[in-house]
Amino acid sequence: MSEVERTHDLASSDSLDEAKLSGALEMRYSQDVIYTYVGDILVAVNPYKQLPLYNDTVAKRYMNMIAKATQPPHLYAIADAAYNQMSRNHQPQVSVISGESGAGKTEST
């Protein structure tokens, strides 16, 4: 398993502190891997360039996922989970997108 794969979900590590979080995000960012899970939270880092992350082929990989661990972290996984929960439970769902100016929030919506 590669270092990137080992850091798909940082909540699965033995311990997590600010230094480990920052180091993992920096390592993933340097390899154009901008999404990282910390449990049920998806952390996105703005790559400040176009990446081939948003197209029909990628979207189809995240449709009707059995478990989030079957694919790398992605915004589409969060959207798919919310849609499936809404359909199953007939309850509204909400996703919070937060960040500083220029952090990439608009791209995420």
Side-chain angles (χ1 to χ4, degrees):
M1 183 181 292
S2 73
E3 184 66 21
V4 168
E5 292 170 327
R6 279 195 297 276
T7 58
H8 279 339
D9 188 348
L10 297 177
S12 64
S13 64
D14 292 336
S15 64
L16 182 62
D17 57 25
E18 185 176 348
K20 286 183 182 180
L21 175 65
S22 294
L25 293 175
E26 185 176 324
M27 181 272 301
R28 292 172 67 82
Y29 178 84
S30 72
Q31 297 180 37
D32 291 335
V33 181
I34 64 166
Y35 292 121
T36 306
Y37 290 124
V38 181
D40 288 334
I41 298 169
L42 178 69
V43 177
V45 181
N46 190 340
Y48 296 102
K49 62 183 176 183
Q50 291 290 333
L51 296 175
L53 297 175
Y54 313 106
N55 58 53
D56 290 340
T57 303
V58 175
K60 287 177 185 173
R61 284 191 298 208
Y62 290 90
M63 287 182 176
N64 300 311
M65 289 178 28
I66 305 296
K68 72 178 187 179
T70 61
Q71 292 291 333
H74 199 288
L75 188 61
Y76 289 163
I78 302 298
D80 183 69
Y83 178 80
N84 286 325
Q85 285 290 330
M86 181 182 65
S87 298
R88 225 180 347 264
N89 300 327
H90 306 288
Q91 294 289 319
Q93 301 292 301
V94 66
S95 294
V96 176
I97 299 174
S98 176
E100 296 179 3
S101 177
K105 296 178 302 294
T106 301
E107 186 72 25
S108 295
T109 58

